[in-house]
Amino acid sequence: MRYRLVTAASALLLAAGAAGAQEVTLKGITSFAEKTFYSRGFERFIDKVNADGKGVIQINYIGGPKAMPPFEVGNALKNGVVDIANATGAFYTNLMPEADAWKLTERPMAEIRRNGGFDYMARLYDQKLNAILLARHIDNNPFHIYLNKPISKIDLTGLKLRITPVYRDFFQSLGATVVQTAPGEVYTSLERGVVDGYGWPITGIFDLGWHEKTKYRVDPGFYSAEVSVLINKATWAKLDDRQKKVISDAAAWLEAQAPDTAKENEKDIERQKAAGIQVIAFTGAEGAEFRKKAYDTGWAGVIRQSAEHGPKIRQFFAR
Ligand code: 173
């Protein structure tokens, strides 16, 4: 009896071996709170991989900032503590300052993949992050200044604003005092009056309740927020062709959805209006000057951090 059971089990194992490599499970993490706007694309990607990759490849979703502080995700990916990550460049500038330049793209990703910009960045991801950028799923999503004190000219003197590396050079050039925090600390910083406002894209302020503590949004927006799915290089190298295909197909599918972000922008603009958030709009020549200053200070910051690569990246990304 026992003998026959063992034999049956061995036969099953052999059958699995003959069909190809065993199913592999990758560990996935996100830098943004689970189920919030900037994690949703990654969550769709995971669902697709887990559906298409049955018996081939699966992703075990560890979660978001409750599992790991957002500014440590780059390091965890680099060291293989996690295999696959959802992050924005500003969160791992400690390892790769050039990653923050994605915010300055003025061309669609499809064009940057064709014009050599993607390959240029891929070498830096390889060298500095030990990783491959699989898909940028957020694009066409401008950043804004949100305030609790009104301004009547383009001047942030006397205001203290919450930032990440995305906004540092621009806000400082407008006279602001800045304090860097993870998104998870924005609500309490506003509530306690530690900051007078914050930088954030047009979408997502409702996810963590910030609309309750926000009086004004400054228009126009500037830059184009980037959030991408990345994979550890060694993890990728260990995958067989079938496993790679499941991941690559899901990545292409996800990146193709990035232009749809623009529809979400419109929804959140309406929602902010309904929530009573007032718009402080700089229009005409003033608005143009505001945006020019954003890009000028943004590129100056990238080039200051990377004199070697910054000017080349600008040629691929800017218009
Ligand atoms: O403000 C931020 O935390 C930030 O840098 C960012 C970047 C991309 C999307 C959302 C937020």
Side-chain angles (χ1 to χ4, degrees), residues 98-172:
E98 297 86 356
D100 190 34
W102 287 120
K103 72 188 179 193
L104 298 167
T105 55
E106 294 175 280
R107 301 168 190 274
M109 280 303 279
E111 186 180 339
I112 289 170
R113 282 188 185 267
R114 283 194 304 267
N115 77 6
F118 186 86
D119 291 339
Y120 194 92
M121 292 296 276
R123 276 193 295 279
L124 301 178
Y125 274 88
D126 183 291
Q127 291 161 13
K128 302 190 177 201
L129 207 69
N130 192 30
I132 299 164
L133 190 146
L134 289 171
R136 175 178 184 171
H137 59 91
I138 296 293
D139 201 351
N140 308 94
N141 184 231
F143 293 96
H144 284 263
I145 302 172
Y146 296 89
L147 295 174
N148 282 326
K149 291 177 184 163
I151 54 171
S152 54
K153 52 185 180 12
I154 303 175
D155 184 0
L156 302 174
T157 305
L159 297 178
K160 189 166 177 186
L161 299 191
R162 171 272 174 187
I163 59 149
T164 66
V166 165
Y167 323 93
R168 180 181 294 276
D169 294 293
F170 181 38
F171 290 5
Q172 283 183 333

Side-chain angles (χ1 to χ4, degrees), residues 32 38 71 88 90-91 138 141 143 162-167 181-183 199-201 225-227:
F32 296 93
Y38 295 102
F71 297 122
T88 184
F91 290 2
I138 296 293
N141 184 231
F143 293 96
R162 171 272 174 187
I163 59 149
T164 66
V166 165
Y167 323 93
T181 83
W200 191 260
E226 168 269 337
V227 181

Side-chain angles (χ1 to χ4, degrees), residues 5 19 39 46 70 73 92 99 106 120 128 145 216 225 258 271 298 311:
L5 265 177
S39 288
I46 292 174
V73 166
Y92 50 88
E106 294 175 280
Y120 194 92
K128 302 190 177 201
I145 302 172
Y216 307 99
R271 241 185 122 182

Side-chain angles (χ1 to χ4, degrees), residues 245-284:
K245 188 172 182 330
V246 172
I247 296 286
S248 302
D249 288 353
W253 171 85
L254 183 67
E255 190 166 287
Q257 297 169 16
D260 297 343
T261 313
K263 291 179 210 151
E264 303 295 326
N265 299 348
E266 295 311 312
K267 283 190 211 159
D268 268 38
I269 288 170
E270 284 311 308
R271 241 185 122 182
Q272 288 185 15
K273 199 171 168 185
I277 295 172
Q278 294 174 55
V279 178
I280 298 170
F282 296 109
T283 56

